[in-house]
Amino acid sequence: MRLSRRCVATAALGTTMALALGACAGTDPESEGDPADVDTDAPVTITVGNLAPTENPESRENLLAMVEEFEADHPNITVEPEETTWSSDTFIPMLQGGTLPTTLEIPFTEIQALIGRGQVYDLTDLVAGSEALSQLDPSILATVQDSDGNIYGVPYQAYTMGLVYHRGLFAEAGLDPDSPPTTWEEVRDAAQQITENTDATGFATMTTDNTGGWTLSTLSYAFGGGMEEVDSDGNATAIFADTGATAEALEFYRTLRWEDESMGANFLMNQDDIMNDLGAGQLAMTVNGADSYGNLVVNRGLAPEDFGVAGLPQSEDALGTLAGGAIAMVSPNATPEEAAAALEWIEFVKFQRYLNEDAAVEFASSRAADDLPVYPPLLPVLGGDVEEQYTEWIAEYINAPVEQFEPYTSTIADIPLVPEPPVKAQELYATLDAVVQAVLTEEDADIDTLLSEAQTSVQQQIDAG
């Protein structure tokens, strides 16, 4: 990507807007000079976070090799990698102290709060100047935009939640693994049939380590209710106890748990527990990231032919399915030259294989040689012809049963993506873990009271800042 001088000039104006919003930002717009004088060919040094520690030598060496290759192709840009990773506890001190890397990887959950506080660079015009990044999928791009459509990050990895299931158990129970449930009532029926006809649990959900709240938020969206509302001033309000959708999702759990007895006997499960049970053929269905194939097959021993994934069932008033992933952000302290160089780096390190056939083939062939899964992106980040071209480049190395992904991929265009709660998402998830556990362990649990108390607690955490 070569950025035009016009783009950088306009980006400088965007930066001024971002800095005006954030008390923590350190760049003085007056010191930037005339944006028209910005020279993208001038020598510039950027710091990039997320260098793997020495305990992970292969990943570390891989990134360092990419730095060397990038600098050879961009002789005016010096890249200084460092091990800094995202942490809500250290982000503000680093920003205030001027030690935040020029670019850093952050989860989807954090970007809207950073935008609201003016703590991230406005990349709108820089992205528009990139042939590849200007093709970011609009639904995924929306996660890094403000209400005016300005762009504050580069989403490079995305997933949505889906119904992950064990095809072998479906067949054993007399169900068609090519026709997984498409409604919650069908999920309930399938869970009953599997429980009655196999030794496996029909359906289970995560309940610990914030995953219970994460999954409950997903079901709340699918049943038609949000978790938080944010007004035009950036003030967030927890709403999950008021919409009725979260209560409806918990009633769904209660029905399967206490009436149907199709949720097994373990109600303290984190993501590892759920994945292990699926891999071992002890669980037939759960709600999880639709990109679970590699984790289940490589790490949990699931036979490839037993992996199934489908679009998350949606009620009549559903908002969509929860979407998450990772974003590369640029520090608001960056100069326009540094921001332009950082975006060059992001495109190189995150999207090179989608833009260069040799890089695509190298990536796919090396994974195939290591017996690692190779398949097209389930949720393409880049739209248009880019992902289609990439799939053609790697076609001969694809080794995953992509036809088994069809019940999920066929729904992507129809189910809207809903971002995670924008403020204190992990705190919200942790609070709701206890609610999910109560519903699954206490037959007479008062769902309305539990949700009301949880909402009050979450609001207090939001208000505490």
Side-chain angles (χ1 to χ4, degrees):
M1 178 186 67
R2 293 298 181 191
L3 300 168
S4 70
R5 188 179 299 270
R6 179 193 62 78
C7 289
V8 174
T10 314
L13 295 175
T15 306
T16 301
M17 294 175 61
L19 294 177
L21 294 170
C24 294
T27 301
D28 178 3
E30 296 298 325
S31 69
E32 294 177 355
D34 185 349
D37 293 335
V38 175
D39 183 1
T40 56
D41 293 325
V44 62
T45 297
I46 60 172
T47 50
V48 299
N50 302 94
L51 174 65
T54 54
E55 290 81 1
N56 303 113
E58 292 186 8
S59 296
R60 186 182 183 91
E61 289 304 317
N62 181 56
L63 185 70
L64 293 175
M66 296 186 80
V67 169
E68 187 174 339
E69 183 180 351
F70 178 80
E71 289 181 334
D73 192 49
H74 302 77
N76 67 310
I77 301 175
T78 299
V79 177
E80 297 181 349
E82 56 184 68
E83 296 181 11
T84 304
T85 58
W86 161 262
S87 167
S88 59
D89 294 332
T90 59
F91 182 84
I92 298 298
M94 287 193 298
L95 186 59
Q96 291 175 323
T99 59
L100 186 70
T102 313
T103 179
L104 187 69
E105 299 171 10
I106 63 173
F108 271 29
T109 51
E110 306 301 328
I111 187 65
Q112 288 300 321
L114 298 182
I115 292 172
R117 296 195 296 266
Q119 294 171 339
V120 61
Y121 201 101
D122 184 345
L123 298 169
T124 307
D125 293 293
L126 289 172
V127 169
S130 163
E131 180 181 358
L133 299 184
S134 61
Q135 299 184 61
L136 286 166
D137 185 275
S139 62
I140 295 174
L141 186 63
T143 62
V144 298
Q145 291 178 298
D146 64 8
S147 58
D148 295 325
N150 297 314
I151 300 168
Y152 292 88
V154 180
Y156 63 88
Q157 183 183 61
Y159 71 88
T160 68
M161 300 293 273
L163 183 70
V164 180
Y165 64 99
H166 191 294
R167 292 173 58 89
L169 290 173
F170 265 58
E172 184 180 341
L175 297 165
D176 182 357
D178 292 328
S179 299
T182 59
T183 68
W184 292 109
E185 192 60 33
E186 289 179 1
V187 172
R188 179 187 179 187
D189 292 343
Q192 285 181 291
Q193 189 165 334
I194 291 165
T195 300
E196 291 170 358
N197 296 310
T198 75
D199 293 329
T201 297
F203 179 90
T205 187
M206 296 173 278
T207 61
T208 65
D209 299 340
N210 300 3
T211 59
W214 178 50
T215 311
L216 181 60
S217 297
T218 300
L219 265 67
S220 298
Y221 293 162
F223 279 100
M227 308 306 286
E228 296 176 350
E229 284 182 346
V230 180
D231 65 22
S232 58
D233 294 326
N235 301 310
T237 302
I239 62 169
F240 55 80
D242 305 326
T243 67
T246 305
E248 192 174 352
L250 289 168
E251 289 290 356
F252 172 76
Y253 284 164
R254 177 148 65 186
T255 299
L256 270 64
R257 164 68 177 95
W258 297 102
E259 291 185 25
D260 302 343
E261 298 182 348
S262 60
M263 293 189 72
N266 184 359
F267 306 110
L268 291 175
M269 304 181 77
N270 62 20
Q271 192 167 34
D272 281 338
D273 298 325
I274 289 282
M275 291 290 99
N276 287 335
D277 279 4
L278 265 169
Q282 297 172 353
L283 170 64
M285 290 185 288
T286 192
V287 172
N288 211 316
D291 58 348
S292 298
Y293 177 81
N295 187 359
L296 282 166
V297 172
V298 176
N299 302 324
R300 318 288 173 172
L302 182 71
E305 61 269 23
D306 285 336
F307 176 80
V309 61
L312 195 72
Q314 301 286 295
S315 70
E316 185 176 346
D317 299 323
L319 302 181
T321 188
L322 184 146
I327 296 165
M329 62 153 285
V330 174
S331 169
N333 292 339
T335 66
E337 291 88 350
E338 292 169 345
L343 207 61
E344 293 264 10
W345 165 256
I346 292 167
E347 181 171 332
F348 176 82
V349 76
K350 300 300 183 186
F351 296 97
Q352 180 181 217
R353 72 174 187 267
Y354 298 111
L355 306 171
N356 181 287
E357 182 174 0
D358 290 341
V361 169
E362 181 178 352
F363 172 80
S365 62
S366 62
R367 287 184 63 84
D370 289 337
D371 292 327
L372 295 174
V374 180
Y375 52 88
L378 290 183
L379 186 62
V381 173
L382 296 176
D385 297 334
V386 177
E387 302 278 3
E388 184 177 342
Q389 179 66 78
Y390 171 72
T391 301
E392 291 180 7
W393 288 338
I394 67 168
E396 71 175 281
Y397 302 103
I398 291 175
N399 57 15
V402 293
E403 68 279 3
Q404 292 169 203
F405 303 165
E406 193 276 338
Y408 169 74
T409 57
S410 63
T411 68
I412 291 175
D414 299 325
I415 301 179
L417 310 184
V418 186
E420 297 183 68
V423 180
K424 297 292 182 74
Q426 294 304 322
E427 290 83 349
L428 180 150
Y429 294 158
T431 303
L432 288 178
D433 272 3
V435 175
V436 175
Q437 292 167 19
V439 170
L440 296 180
T441 58
E442 302 170 19
E443 188 170 4
D444 59 350
D446 184 336
I447 289 176
D448 289 339
T449 298
L450 287 168
L451 285 178
S452 178
E453 292 175 351
Q455 182 167 290
T456 298
S457 174
V458 170
Q459 190 62 53
Q460 290 172 342
Q461 294 175 75
I462 291 173
D463 294 340

